[in-house]
Amino acid sequence: NNYEVIDLGVMVPTEKIIRTAIEEKVDMLGLSGLITPSLEEMTHVAAEMEKAGMRIPLLIGGATTSKIHTAVKIAPNYSAPVVYVKDASVNTNIVASLMNPKSSEIFAASIAEEYEQLRNKQTKKADLLPLEDAKRRKPTLF
């Protein structure tokens, strides 16, 4: 689709990802999570991109990822667009929307709003009790 992709491989340190993105002046950065520990690493990469002052879109995909994880754990760490990509077949449409000056702001704002709603819904689910209250409410099983 006429996009140049720089593939850094697997298990790449955050510093190398960010350094390469800056040196190569990339338009966006994509992370793919294939094993569970990569979920936390993606959160770390997003936070480090923020610290580095980056403002390019961050695409999140791979077997272990999900929209809810992207919205709740990754997106809050980075102020530029963070977009969950379910599979490679939709990458082109997402990249085109983010690269188009006429649609990029609207697209990014709609994603940010959707993720905010997902975060709010998720936090409302977590109706947690203080530990002492939970201990008092424990069920009597025997």
Side-chain angles (χ1 to χ4, degrees), residues 61-125:
T64 60
T65 62
S66 69
K67 185 182 284 189
I68 192 73
H69 182 268
T70 302
V72 173
K73 297 289 187 177
I74 301 172
N77 293 290
Y78 187 53
S79 57
V82 177
V83 183
Y84 168 70
V85 182
K86 183 175 178 158
D87 63 61
S89 69
V90 295
N91 274 352
T92 306
N93 293 335
I94 290 171
V95 169
S97 295
L98 290 167
M99 295 292 294
N100 183 333
K102 294 179 182 178
S103 67
S104 64
E105 285 185 36
I106 294 167
F107 180 74
S110 71
I111 296 291
E113 183 179 327
E114 178 184 6
Y115 289 2
E116 181 67 27
Q117 290 173 1
L118 286 170
R119 281 191 294 276
N120 290 338
K121 185 177 178 182
Q122 189 68 20
T123 56
K124 286 180 184 175
K125 273 187 182 178

Side-chain angles (χ1 to χ4, degrees), residues 4-139:
E4 180 182 348
V5 176
I6 301 169
D7 184 350
L8 297 180
V10 298
M11 305 297 288
V12 178
T14 300
E15 180 182 296
K16 181 176 180 180
I17 293 169
I18 292 174
R19 185 178 61 248
T20 303
I22 292 169
E23 288 172 358
E24 297 291 331
K25 297 179 175 84
V26 301
D27 295 312
M28 60 190 65
L29 195 147
L31 300 174
S32 180
L34 301 176
I35 57 174
T36 305
S38 62
L39 294 174
E40 188 58 37
E41 188 62 23
M42 289 177 172
T43 301
H44 176 69
V45 171
E48 292 301 309
M49 289 174 70
E50 184 71 22
K51 285 182 192 174
M54 298 177 77
R55 294 294 170 261
I56 59 172
L58 174 60
L59 306 179
I60 302 294
T64 60
T65 62
S66 69
K67 185 182 284 189
I68 192 73
H69 182 268
T70 302
V72 173
K73 297 289 187 177
I74 301 172
N77 293 290
Y78 187 53
S79 57
V82 177
V83 183
Y84 168 70
V85 182
K86 183 175 178 158
D87 63 61
S89 69
V90 295
N91 274 352
T92 306
N93 293 335
I94 290 171
V95 169
S97 295
L98 290 167
M99 295 292 294
N100 183 333
K102 294 179 182 178
S103 67
S104 64
E105 285 185 36
I106 294 167
F107 180 74
S110 71
I111 296 291
E113 183 179 327
E114 178 184 6
Y115 289 2
E116 181 67 27
Q117 290 173 1
L118 286 170
R119 281 191 294 276
N120 290 338
K121 185 177 178 182
Q122 189 68 20
T123 56
K124 286 180 184 175
K125 273 187 182 178
D127 193 15
L128 303 176
L129 297 171
L131 179 59
E132 292 306 315
D133 290 350
K135 285 179 180 178
R136 281 193 294 277
R137 290 179 161 193
K138 78 176 182 177

